[in-house]
Amino acid sequence: MEKYDMRQGLISNYVNSVLYSDGYLWLGTDKGLCRFNTIDKTITTYSSPMTISNVSYNSDACFQFHNGMFAWGTSDGIIILDPKTLNMQEPSGRIYIQDILLSGQSIRQYPDLLHKVPLDSISNITLNYQQKNVTIHILPLGNDSRAARFSWKMQGFDDDWSDLTDQRDINYTNLNPGTYQLSVRLYNHKLISERTLTIHITPPFWATWLFKIAYILFAGWLAYFLLRFYMNRLNQRYTEDKLRFFTNIAHDLRTALTLVKAPIDELNQTNSLSGHDREYLQLAAKQTERLTSVAKQLLDFQKVDTGKEQFEPVMADIVVLIGCRVSMFETMAAAKHITIAYYPDTETCLTAIDTNMMERVIDNLLSNAIKYSPEQSAVEVHFRSDEDKWRLKVVDRGIGISREAQRELFHEFYRSQNALSAQISGSGIGLFMARMLVELHNGKISVESEEGKGSTFEIIVPRCKNEEYKDTGKQISAPQDDLSNDCPTEDMRILVVEDNNDLRNFMIRPLAKHFSVETAADGVEAWEYIQQQIPDLIVSDIMMPRMDGLELCRLVKSTFETSHIPIILLTALSEKTDELRGLGLGADDYMTKPFDMKTLTQRIVSIIRNRRILGGRFIASGSMTEVEDSAGKSVNTLNDAFVKRAMEVVVQYLDDTEFSKDDFAREMGVSTSLLFKKMKALAGMSVVDFIRGVRMEHAMKLIRENRYSIGEIACMCGFSTIGYFSTTFKKHFGKSPSDFTG
Ligand code: ADP
C-alpha cells in the first residue's frame, strides 16, 4: 500500500473525486485539481486558470466523456475541460524573507544590523548574546504558492531537515553564542529553491576568549600572589623564630663571653707569665673578642630587622665620615700589608644620614674588602657626589665572588663558597644588614665581581635634608639621648688628641652633643693644654708624631696635678689592647679602631658615672685602693694617696665647725680650683659634699659605737646644732640618727 498526501505534493488531503485516464489519476480536492502520474508517482497541480484552480471539487461528482473531456462538479458549478489542453506550467519560485524577529522585535528596529541592505537581500546577520530568540518570516514567491512547502535545517543546531510544511515562521529559541547556518528549501512538488542565512551570535564579553584568557591569567596571578604571600608569611615567621633563637643565643654568648674575658684580662696583667702562656692567653683573648663581635653583630642585626633600631638621620658630612672610617681601617689593612686609599671627588658633601648606621655599612664594606684580599694588595675607596645622590665604591683585588653567589650575597647568613674554602671566618650577616641599612636611607647596594680578580661594592644613596625623612615617616623621633639623665655631662671638658685630621674633626661633632670638646694634634700640644686647662677627660690616639699616646698617658698619670684625669686610649689592633692593658699604664679604658662614636660616648659617660659611684663607696670604706681593686680597675698611687690624704685632713678637722674649702686646699697643698677638680674627678663630688660625706660616715660609726649622745656626736662631727646635724644626716642616709640608736 502506498499513501500520497500533501507531503508528496497534493494541494489538499481532502480528495473528493478521482478519475482515471491515460495512465493518470485526476484528483478533485477541496482546494483544486491535481494529477497523479501512476507510473512515476509524481503529482502535478494546476494553479491556473482560476476557474479550475480556485474551487472546491465535490464528492463523487466527476465524469469522462467519450471524447476524453472531463466534467467536474464543483463548489462553483460544473466545469467541463479538456485535460490535454490544460497548461502544464513548470512550478517556479523563490524564498522571500519577510521579516526577522529578535526576541519578538522586528530586525527593522535595529538598523545597524541590516547595514542599509533590504531585509530580503541579507545573507548573514550578527546578533548579540541577548538576541538569542530568532523568528524568521518567510514567504514563497512563484507561480503556485498554494502548493509551496518549506523545509529547513539550522546547521549547528539541528541534526536533520524539518518536515515539509506550509508554515511560514521559522522559530529558534535559546541559541547559544556561535555561528549557525540556516538553510531553507522551497518545494513545489519538488525542490525549486534554497537559500541560506548565516547567523552569528556574539558571546558576552565574559565569554570571549580574550576575557577567558585574561581571567585565567588573573586567577593564576592571584593564586600565585596569595601563595607567595602565604609563603612569605611562613618564611617571615620562620625567620623571626630563627632570629629570636639566634638573638637569645647571642645574648647568652655575650654574657658568657664577658665572664670569660674578665679572668683573661686579669691573667694578662700578671707579670709572671711566660712567653708561651701569654701567647695562649692572647689567642684566647682574640677569639673571645671575635665571638663577642659576632654576638654584637647578631644583636645589632636583630634590632634593625625587627625595626627596633631607630633611624635617626642628622645632617653630616659623608665625605669626612668615610674618610674617618677609612683611616680607622688603615692599621687593620697595614697588618696585611694592604694599602687602602680614599679618592673623594669633593672635599665636603652634606646630607642627612644616620651616622651610626652608615658607619656600620661602610665598616662592613671596608672590613670585607680587607678580609677577603690577599696580602700586599690594594683597596680603593671612591666617592662621587651628584646633585641628588652620592655613591661610594669599595674596590678590592681579593678572592672575588662567583655569579651565583652574587645573587645570594645580600641575604642573611649567606657566605660564598670561596670564602668558606679560604677558611676566612665570618657570620654572613654583615652584607644583609648593610643592605637593610642602605635601604632605610632609600639607597641601593650592588656588587660586581669576578672570582680570583676582585670585587667592587657600590652604594648609591639619595642626598636628603633631614626634614625630608620626616615625610616618609622614617624619622621616628628626634635623636634620642642614650645617656641617662642621672649623669649630666654638658660641663665636662673632653680633650681629643688625634693626629689624623679627618678622624679628629669627625670625632668633635658627636662628642660635642654631650660634652665641651677641645682638640690637639699630638702629645706635645695636648700636654701643654692639659697643664694649663686641666680637662675632665682625655681621649687620645696612641700612634702620633712628636709625643705618642703612651707617653702622654704616662705623663698625665704621673703628674700630681693631672693624675686624676681619666684617659681613654685609642688603639689600632685588638691584640695590642691586651698588651697595653698588661703594661699597666693607668689608662682608664682602651678602644680598638674601628669603633663607633656611640660606643666611645658611652664609655666616657660610664667612666664618669663609675667615678661618681666609686666616690660614695670609698668614703664609706675609707680607702680608694680597696674600692678600685674590687672593681677591677688599675690603681694610680698618686690618686690613692691624694684621696687618703683628703680623708685624713677632713677627719683631722672633724669637729671644726669653721673648717672651709680654703682650709682644706691649704692643708692638701693645692689650689682651691685644683682641689675642686681632683675631688670631682676622683670622688665624683664637690668638696663640700666630700667633707659632708666623710663627716656623715664618721657620725654613723660613732652612733653605732653607742657611746655618745646625738648632741655629742653632732658636736664631734663639726655641726653647731643638733637640728642641722639631724637634717643633714637624714638627707644622707634616708633615716634620722635616732633610728640607729638604742
Ligand atoms: P661575613 O663577611 O661575616 O661572612 P658578610 O655578610 O659581610 O658576612 O658577607 C657575606 C659573604 O659575602 C662573605 O661570607 C663572603 O663570602 C662574601 N663577600 C663579602 N665581601 C666580599 C669581598 N670583598 N670579596 C669576596 N667575598 C666577599
Side-chain angles (χ1 to χ4, degrees), residues 5 15 40 47 113 119 121 133 160 225 329 369 377 399 444 453 498 524 539 546 568 574 584 598 637 692 724 727:
D5 55 23
V15 180
D40 64 7
S47 52
L113 293 177
L119 177 54
S121 321
N133 300 326
D160 281 320
F225 178 79
F329 277 91
S377 65
I399 60 172
K444 282 201 171 73
K453 294 221 166 129
E498 166 66 62
V524 175
V539 177
R546 300 213 286 172
I568 298 178
S574 48
K598 219 174 183 168
T637 44
R692 192 183 302 127
Y724 180 42
T727 328

Side-chain angles (χ1 to χ4, degrees), residues 180-196:
Y180 303 90
Q181 202 168 43
L182 176 68
S183 301
V184 187
R185 285 177 178 169
L186 170 64
Y187 290 86
N188 204 335
H189 310 296
K190 58 180 184 183
L191 177 66
I192 54 171
S193 173
E194 179 170 349
R195 74 179 286 176
T196 57

